[in-house]
Amino acid sequence: MSATTTAVQTAVPSSYRHHQRQATPGATLRLARTALKWYEIRRPDAPMPEGLDEETRAFLSDEVEAGRLDIGGQPGFVILHLADAQGRPNSVALLLVSTWNQANEIWESVYWKPVDGGPCQRVKKGDHAATYCVWELAVVWHERNAWNLFLDSARDEAALEAYLADRFSGIA
């Protein structure tokens, strides 16, 4: 039996310069039958554009009320990520809606919008598609641990409120 070695390649361009992002919790988004923790992720030196938080919260409320986003009473979290597109810092807002389903699974819906205007649009995923980036994973890891605490609890109203109050904040 012979071993074949293949050179491992990466799609990371040599011009890429990695940096940190700030994750900041916001007020819980309470909808008709559920509550979603809210996080913002951005470059530390880039403020969130005026009105973007309110616009995306209203958009999600409308999506749920109209039945276009069926999250059916499942708690979870939202990440509003001020992202870079085509080498332009802070040019796209990603809106990642994650809910806990079947006790231990994260289900996700993704939206994006150009920061300089235009509506939120849902991302349709293909067979092999993006999920979370390195900065978003800091929030996801925290949420995984917070949800485990909830699952190990009495899972009553007090435990759910404790889960909703348990937030990540910091450099990602």
Side-chain angles (χ1 to χ4, degrees):
M1 189 162 139
S2 66
T4 304
T5 58
T6 305
V8 177
Q9 296 181 352
T10 177
V12 179
S14 61
S15 61
Y16 176 78
R17 298 295 172 257
H18 194 61
H19 59 274
Q20 295 180 326
R21 301 248 168 152
Q22 177 68 42
T24 307
T28 299
L29 178 62
R30 295 195 181 261
L31 302 170
R33 294 178 22 226
T34 195
L36 301 171
K37 296 181 188 185
W38 193 272
Y39 292 95
E40 293 180 352
I41 296 179
R42 58 180 175 71
R43 290 175 181 261
D45 60 345
M48 195 58 69
E50 183 84 25
L52 185 59
D53 180 86
E54 295 83 9
E55 178 186 353
T56 52
R57 286 171 178 272
F59 170 78
L60 284 181
S61 294
D62 291 347
E63 289 293 284
V64 169
E65 285 179 31
R68 292 184 297 268
L69 178 59
D70 182 13
I71 54 176
Q74 301 299 324
F77 56 98
V78 174
I79 299 173
L80 174 59
H81 184 171
L82 193 55
D84 303 348
Q86 301 170 355
R88 296 179 315 148
N90 311 316
S91 59
V92 174
L94 299 174
L95 192 58
L96 312 169
V97 182
S98 300
T99 58
W100 292 104
N101 283 289
Q102 300 182 23
N104 56 20
E105 298 175 356
I106 292 179
W107 287 23
E108 181 191 41
S109 294
V110 179
Y111 300 86
W112 73 278
K113 82 176 263 29
V115 171
D116 58 2
C120 287
Q121 301 172 47
R122 194 166 195 163
V123 174
K124 301 292 183 190
K125 293 190 176 189
D127 292 334
H128 189 67
T131 58
Y132 301 104
C133 74
V134 296
W135 303 291
E136 294 157 358
L137 282 171
V139 171
V140 173
W141 183 249
H142 176 88
E143 288 302 312
R144 174 250 183 225
N145 292 332
W147 189 248
N148 271 335
L149 290 174
F150 173 78
L151 292 175
D152 284 337
S153 74
R155 297 192 297 271
D156 56 9
E157 188 66 29
L160 181 59
E161 289 302 317
Y163 162 74
L164 292 171
D166 187 351
R167 306 296 183 93
F168 175 79
S169 179
I171 296 296

